[in-house]
């Protein structure tokens, strides 16, 4: 291996800084447009609740668009993970507009879904185009995929530290080097500041009262972590179950979201369950001050798993926030700790369990809620991570490390 001259080193550094800035600006701008558009369609749906009855036709449009134009990108986030582990070919740029349109249609007509998947897929598709532009090899392409995930996540949630770490951790730091880590942080901040430049605001949450560190409090936090892990397990299994059921019984893919849309429309409109449509941000915000019914988190798991399993588009993370926040909020009726504190712990802990990313979720919790509850957030996220089973929301994610060894041992013993 030949050593590079100082000039070549400087050119390499400049090249990667340029790539990060370009990906950050493009992905951040795409996320800003997406967030504004998402808010528009959400407000339209809220003020025209009859539109839920058109959900089957929205699903049909989503199904047809992917059937005719998106077969190569239908795997979504899993395609990014697969291309990282085993690079085959550059991710088609059409992934970005297809997932954008599919997600907006899902939310416009009242499906239950999130937004991080859309931003991450747009970021990944945009980033991977630089493979051709800069004639990068497979090892360098892996870095691009990290950068796309980092930029998409950081920009859509306004959490650059968590976004950078999530991109590394969701890949289990596999074949990650110092260069990847530095660039992941650089692109995350570039994307974050791009959204700030466009004056797009993120939802703010807070934990005004944090209990003192004590044995009883830690005990309660461990209980929340375990319940959050079980909720994450249920969420992941629900999504995979419905996806498998639809694919086995409805052979023509565009009909899956059409039929699923009929069932969802009847269930949501017929039983007055519109609060489970879309992201559910108002419910999340309210859960920090008012106790939710114990069954709210279960219904969100059901509706989101069904929506995504039927073939609608969107992410899983904001629904995971909904599940965790409403779970914690409901637990405030029996656990003698502040409601916002419990909702905040559930908020990040369920996410940790479902994505196998306790470090990123801990950092995200501190970015959102401050440093003060950090130790409790870390405990809840780690416990949820270990208690959420071996399969998360991303089927193609490689699960390694302590958790992998723990579940291997448990399986061998039973």
């Amino acid at each position: 291996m030949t050593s590079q001259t100082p000039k070549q080193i400087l050119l390499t550094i400049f090249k990667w800084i340029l790539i990060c800035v370009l990906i950050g600006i493009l992905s951040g701008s795409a996320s800003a447009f997406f967030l504004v558009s998402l808010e528009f369609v959400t407000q339209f749906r809220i003020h025209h609740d009859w539109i839920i009855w058109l959900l089957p036709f929205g699903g049909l449009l989503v199904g047809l668009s992917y059937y005719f134009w998106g077969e190569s990108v239908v795997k979504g986030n899993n395609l990014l993970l697969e291309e990282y582990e085993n690079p085959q070919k550059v991710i088609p740029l059409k992934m970005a507009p297809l997932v954008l349109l599919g997600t907006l249609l899902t939310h416009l007509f009242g499906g239950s879904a999130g937004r991080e998947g859309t931003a991450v897929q747009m970021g990944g598709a945009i980033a991977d185009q630089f493979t051709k532009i800069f004639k990068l090899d497979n090892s360098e392409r892996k870095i691009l995929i990290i950068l796309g995930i980092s930029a998409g996540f950081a920009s859509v949630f306004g959490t650059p530290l968590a976004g950078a770490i999530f991109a590394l951790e969701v890949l289990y730091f596999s074949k990650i080097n110092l260069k990847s880590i530095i660039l992941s942080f650089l692109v995350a901040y570039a994307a974050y500041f791009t959204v700030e430049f466009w004056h797009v605001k993120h939802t703010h949450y807070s934990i005004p009262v944090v209990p003192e560190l004590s044995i009883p409090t830690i005990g309660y936090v461990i209980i929340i972590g375990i319940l959050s892990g079980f909720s994450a397990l249920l969420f992941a299994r629900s999504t995979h179950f419905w996806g498998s059921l639809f694919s086995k019984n409805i052979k023509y893919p565009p009909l899956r979201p059409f039929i699923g849309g009929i069932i969802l429309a009847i269930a949501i409109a017929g039983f007055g369950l519109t609060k489970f449509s879309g992201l559910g941000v108002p419910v999340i915000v309210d859960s920090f001050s008012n106790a939710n019914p114990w069954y709210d988190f279960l219904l969100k798991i059901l509706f989101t798993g069904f929506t995504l399993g039927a073939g609608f588009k969107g992410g899983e993370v904001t629904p995971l926030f909904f599940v965790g926040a409403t779970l914690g909020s409901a637990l405030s009726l029996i656990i003698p700790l502040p409601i916002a504190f419990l909702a905040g712990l559930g908020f990040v802990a369920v996410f940790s369990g479902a994505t196998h990313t306790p470090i990123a979720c801990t950092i995200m919790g501190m970015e959102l809620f401050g440093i003060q509850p950090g130790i409790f957030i870390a405990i809840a996220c780690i416990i949820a991570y270990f208690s959420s089973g071996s399969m998360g929301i991303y089927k193609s994610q490689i699960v390694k490390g302590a958790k992998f060894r723990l579940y291997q041992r448990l399986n061998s013993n039973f």
Side-chain angles (χ1 to χ4, degrees), residues 271-344:
F271 292 93
L273 299 173
T274 53
K275 74 176 184 179
F276 298 103
S277 291
L279 295 171
V281 169
V283 178
I284 299 174
V285 172
D286 183 66
S287 68
F288 278 74
S289 54
N290 298 299
N292 286 84
W294 65 269
Y295 49 81
D296 273 6
F297 80 100
L298 291 172
L299 287 176
K300 189 62 174 177
I301 290 173
L302 173 63
F303 282 117
T304 304
F306 191 90
T307 297
L308 298 176
F312 286 91
K313 296 301 169 183
E316 297 94 346
V317 172
T318 305
L320 287 168
F321 294 160
F322 184 117
V323 171
T326 53
L327 170 65
S329 177
L331 288 172
S332 69
L333 296 173
I334 56 175
I335 292 179
L337 292 174
I339 185 171
F341 176 73
L342 294 171

Side-chain angles (χ1 to χ4, degrees), residues 65-77:
S65 66
Y66 272 84
Y67 184 73
F68 286 109
W69 301 295
E71 187 178 357
S72 60
V73 296
V74 73
K75 290 182 179 179
N77 287 355

Side-chain angles (χ1 to χ4, degrees), residues 158-355:
T159 54
L161 287 174
I165 295 172
F166 177 81
L168 302 168
E169 193 177 13
V170 78
L171 300 166
Y172 186 67
F173 302 99
S174 177
K175 305 177 184 71
I176 301 291
N177 52 34
L178 181 60
K179 176 180 172 182
S180 302
I181 295 170
I182 294 171
L183 294 177
S184 184
F185 279 93
L186 178 59
V187 78
Y189 274 96
Y192 167 75
F193 283 119
T194 298
V195 174
E196 292 288 301
F197 172 81
W198 291 115
H199 300 290
V200 176
K201 302 300 180 185
H202 300 281
T203 306
H204 291 283
Y205 308 94
S206 66
I207 299 177
V209 180
V210 178
E212 292 184 3
L213 186 63
S214 66
I215 298 299
T217 301
I218 291 175
Y220 286 129
V221 171
I222 290 172
I223 291 171
I224 293 166
I226 293 171
L227 294 176
S228 295
F230 289 165
S231 298
L233 172 64
L234 186 59
F235 186 102
R237 295 295 171 91
S238 171
T239 304
H240 300 326
F241 168 78
W242 291 115
S244 176
L245 187 69
F246 272 97
S247 61
K248 284 180 181 178
N249 293 285
I250 303 172
K251 298 305 179 184
Y252 186 58
L255 280 181
R256 294 169 193 163
F258 177 75
I259 294 171
I262 293 173
I263 297 169
L264 280 170
I266 293 171
I268 292 173
F271 292 93
L273 299 173
T274 53
K275 74 176 184 179
F276 298 103
S277 291
L279 295 171
V281 169
V283 178
I284 299 174
V285 172
D286 183 66
S287 68
F288 278 74
S289 54
N290 298 299
N292 286 84
W294 65 269
Y295 49 81
D296 273 6
F297 80 100
L298 291 172
L299 287 176
K300 189 62 174 177
I301 290 173
L302 173 63
F303 282 117
T304 304
F306 191 90
T307 297
L308 298 176
F312 286 91
K313 296 301 169 183
E316 297 94 346
V317 172
T318 305
L320 287 168
F321 294 160
F322 184 117
V323 171
T326 53
L327 170 65
S329 177
L331 288 172
S332 69
L333 296 173
I334 56 175
I335 292 179
L337 292 174
I339 185 171
F341 176 73
L342 294 171
L345 291 184
F347 184 104
V348 289
V350 173
F351 176 31
S352 170
T355 57

